[in-house]
Amino acid sequence: MAGRTVRVGGLPADLPPDRVADKLTIHFLRSRNGGGEIADVQVLPGAQACALITFEALEVAQRILKAKNHVLSIGGKEYPLEVTSHVAELNPDEVARSGPLLPA
């Protein structure tokens, strides 16, 4: 999945996450928006709601990141989206150390 996932911010906080996910899917499937086939959409709720969208192909994610002015239209309102590349956070428990620890 590395490189195929983008983070989308600027989502409407007043709509159900499943409706937002549907609208994002439609927006990012359209070729005129630089989109293409989508593998997964996850809407992460919170004060600064965002979504993680994983595309089937790396090239689609790269096109999405290059495209400017993504705007999501829902119910007559427009929401400017902030699209950035997603970098997975490393879990400290999953990071393996190599070699012995050196004294400080």
Side-chain angles (χ1 to χ4, degrees), residues 2-100:
R4 297 186 300 131
T5 303
V6 299
R7 182 186 180 281
V8 181
L11 303 178
D14 57 337
L15 295 175
D18 58 337
R19 181 155 186 232
V20 174
D22 289 345
K23 295 294 186 177
L24 287 170
T25 300
I26 292 166
H27 177 85
F28 287 108
L29 274 172
R30 290 186 174 141
S31 59
R32 74 174 184 215
N33 296 326
E37 290 298 313
I38 295 173
D40 187 47
V41 176
Q42 296 178 20
V43 176
L44 308 175
Q48 297 291 322
C50 71
L52 299 178
I53 301 175
T54 303
F55 294 94
E56 293 286 343
L58 175 62
E59 300 78 32
V60 176
Q62 291 172 338
R63 278 198 314 264
I64 290 293
L65 290 169
K66 288 180 185 173
K68 302 295 179 201
N69 302 323
H70 287 285
V71 177
L72 191 63
S73 297
I74 303 176
K77 291 184 179 180
E78 293 190 343
Y79 301 90
L81 301 176
E82 304 157 15
V83 181
T84 57
S85 60
H86 172 66
V87 179
E89 295 179 15
L90 291 176
N91 180 339
D93 296 333
E94 295 175 4
V95 177
R97 294 181 181 227
S98 60

